[in-house]
């Protein structure tokens, strides 16, 4: 499966393959998150076999507004997914654009049933809020406009899926030294050695691992799922970034398709090393100057360029040290 973007947000053009583990690396504001959101939008809006209705079509094909807060994409933009000779294109108003019926790509063609976008572990801080809003919506029949990506993730943290998924919950509880549990009111808390700790008092890094624990026990980490992780390293100590990389590679090894956006050299190198150790194929892409692509279609050259970009702060420190040494020598 490949996703092709053109003239969307910061992106001038992006061509990204997603068959197992895909890593997009680069500085801030280079379009990494845009690829993840566009992939989420395309998969959520893609029709199923024998059913052209899907999640976003049922709410009026306003996915662009929900995900990107735009009325529509620019006229010369492209958002499409391809698998072999079939493709699916989305523009928000005419989501299947001039494609013959035998070449329309459907969810079953790519073996995907769901997509999960993890943007921030702070979703836990709003879990009671989401629950209360859902109750209000059901009682007075209104719909409150709040962040859809977070709302969708929150749903999966509270509602169990019937199909059994990849089991990593014990690994997560071991890493965290405790587990996320629900009380009799349905509110989550952190159980550490039998002691209840409210989530607002739990480290944000722990909350990130908690998302994986609960998604696993609720059966959402399946081989027919795409998991999009937007800079998962942000709240993690470098040592924990390596542990997160191990978990990601294990999920991919068990059939989950994962897209990681990152600007951490620790996370990127860990993903590369653990993927190689577990014989998991990984595709690396560099986000730079509005383009997301491989360097000469080669992983090694792409990684070299990525580490070169991400090591620039250390080069600045070296220049500062050289300047200071020069001043000491010259008095």
């Amino acid at each position: 499966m490949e996703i092709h973007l053109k003239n969307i947000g910061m992106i001038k053009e992006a061509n990204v393959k997603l068959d197992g583990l895909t890593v997009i690396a680069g500085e801030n504001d280079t379009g990494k998150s845009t690829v993840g959101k566009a992939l989420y939008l395309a998969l959520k809006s893609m029709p199923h076999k024998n059913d052209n209705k899907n999640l976003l079509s049922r709410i009026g094909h306003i996915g662009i507004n929900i995900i990107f807060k735009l009325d529509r994409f620019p006229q010369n933009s492209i958002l499409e997914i391809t698998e072999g000779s079939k493709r699916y294109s989305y523009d928000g108003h005419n989501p299947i654009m001039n494609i013959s019926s035998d070449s329309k790509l459907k969810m079953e063609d790519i073996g995907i049933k769901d997509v999960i976008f993890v943007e921030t572990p702070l979703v836990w801080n709003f879990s009671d809020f989401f629950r209360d809003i859902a109750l209000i919506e059901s009682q007075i029949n209104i719909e409150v406009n709040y962040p859809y990506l977070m709302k969708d993730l929150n749903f999966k943290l509270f509602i169990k899926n019937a199909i059994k998924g990849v089991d990593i919950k014990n690994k997560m509880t071991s890493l965290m030294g405790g587990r996320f549990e629900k009380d009799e009111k349905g509110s989550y808390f952190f159980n550490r050695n039998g002691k209840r700790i409210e989530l607002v008092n739990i480290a944000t890094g722990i909350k990130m691992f908690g998302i994986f624990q609960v998604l696993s026990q609720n059966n959402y980490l399946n081989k027919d799922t795409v998991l999009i992780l937007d800079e998962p390293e942000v709240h993690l100590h470098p040592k924990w970034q390596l542990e997160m990389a191990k978990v990601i590679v294990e999920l991919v090894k068990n059939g989950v398709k994962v897209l990681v956006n990152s600007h951490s050299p620790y996370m990127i190198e860990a993903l590369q090393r653990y993927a190689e150790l577990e014989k998991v194929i990984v595709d690396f892409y560099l986000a730079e100057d509005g383009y997301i692509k491989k360097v000469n279609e080669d992983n090694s050259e792409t990684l070299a360029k990525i580490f070169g970009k991400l090591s620039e702060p250390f080069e600045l420190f070296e220049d500062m040290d050289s300047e200071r040494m020069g001043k000491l020598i010259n008095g």
Side-chain angles (χ1 to χ4, degrees), residues 60-322:
H61 278 302
I62 53 174
I64 290 174
N65 187 267
I66 291 173
I67 308 301
F68 288 95
K69 298 302 177 185
L70 297 170
D71 290 331
R72 63 176 298 133
F73 287 137
Q75 204 146 18
N76 61 344
S77 66
I78 294 174
L79 166 52
E80 66 180 16
I81 291 179
T82 59
E83 178 75 33
S85 61
K86 295 185 177 183
R87 71 185 175 97
Y88 170 74
S89 299
Y90 181 89
D91 73 354
H93 294 273
N94 180 24
I96 304 175
M97 300 183 296
N98 302 320
I99 307 173
S100 63
S101 59
D102 61 344
S103 65
K104 293 176 185 175
L105 189 63
K106 300 199 175 192
M107 291 291 276
E108 287 75 12
D109 294 322
I110 54 176
I112 300 297
K113 290 183 179 177
D114 199 7
V115 55
I116 303 170
F117 194 108
V118 180
E119 187 172 23
T120 171
L122 295 179
V123 64
W124 289 116
N125 292 31
F126 298 95
S127 59
D128 288 341
F129 166 79
F130 286 129
R131 184 193 59 198
D132 294 342
I133 289 295
L135 182 62
I136 293 171
E137 287 180 328
S138 64
Q139 287 179 340
I140 60 178
N141 197 28
I142 64 169
E143 185 170 330
V144 179
N145 183 17
Y146 52 95
Y148 182 80
L149 294 174
M150 195 178 287
K151 176 182 178 180
D152 185 52
L153 176 58
N154 182 75
F155 175 87
K156 291 176 169 65
L157 295 175
F158 277 84
I159 306 299
K160 197 157 188 170
N161 189 14
I163 303 171
K164 191 172 181 180
V166 181
D167 188 357
I168 59 167
K169 56 182 181 294
N170 290 335
K171 182 184 290 288
M172 295 298 97
T173 56
S174 177
L175 284 169
M176 295 185 292
R179 62 186 301 109
F180 282 64
E181 295 180 357
K182 280 183 188 177
D183 61 18
E184 63 280 359
K185 295 180 181 178
S187 295
Y188 272 102
F189 65 95
F190 188 67
N191 183 340
R192 178 177 285 151
N193 299 323
K195 181 181 179 182
R196 175 177 177 137
I197 304 174
E198 301 301 331
L199 296 192
V200 293
N201 298 319
I202 289 295
T204 311
I206 291 286
K207 291 173 183 172
M208 190 68 184
F209 285 114
I211 289 175
F212 282 75
Q213 176 217 313
V214 177
L215 286 177
S216 175
Q217 70 188 33
N218 284 355
N219 298 323
Y220 285 102
L221 299 177
N222 303 304
K223 62 181 180 181
D224 56 8
T225 298
V226 171
L227 177 63
I228 301 168
L229 302 173
D230 194 34
E231 298 177 352
E233 73 276 359
V234 169
H235 300 284
L236 299 178
H237 182 279
K239 183 174 69 174
W240 278 16
Q241 290 185 35
L242 270 61
E243 295 295 342
M244 176 63 76
K246 285 183 189 176
V247 171
I248 292 169
V249 170
E250 181 176 341
L251 288 173
V252 176
K253 190 175 180 179
N254 283 278
V256 182
K257 290 180 171 60
V258 182
L259 170 64
V260 178
N261 299 322
S262 177
H263 48 42
S264 166
Y266 301 108
M267 175 63 75
I268 294 162
E269 183 166 356
L271 288 169
Q272 186 249 335
R273 286 178 179 268
Y274 291 130
E276 185 177 303
L277 191 65
E278 296 294 335
K279 296 180 172 54
V280 167
I281 296 174
V282 54
D283 287 293
F284 290 94
Y285 296 85
L286 174 66
E288 184 181 38
D289 299 328
Y291 293 91
I292 295 179
K293 59 184 181 180
K294 287 189 175 186
V295 177
N296 296 325
E297 296 300 316
D298 183 82
N299 259 345
S300 297
E301 290 189 48
T302 304
L303 278 168
K305 186 75 178 288
I306 288 170
F307 288 127
K309 293 292 293 183
L310 298 183
S311 66
E312 287 177 0
F314 296 101
E315 294 174 6
L316 177 60
F317 292 152
E318 290 176 3
D319 291 343
M320 292 170 67
D321 289 340
S322 297

Side-chain angles (χ1 to χ4, degrees), residues 47-54 106-108:
H48 291 264
K49 191 175 183 180
N50 303 322
D51 178 15
N52 283 325
K53 290 187 177 181
N54 49 72
K106 300 199 175 192
M107 291 291 276
E108 287 75 12

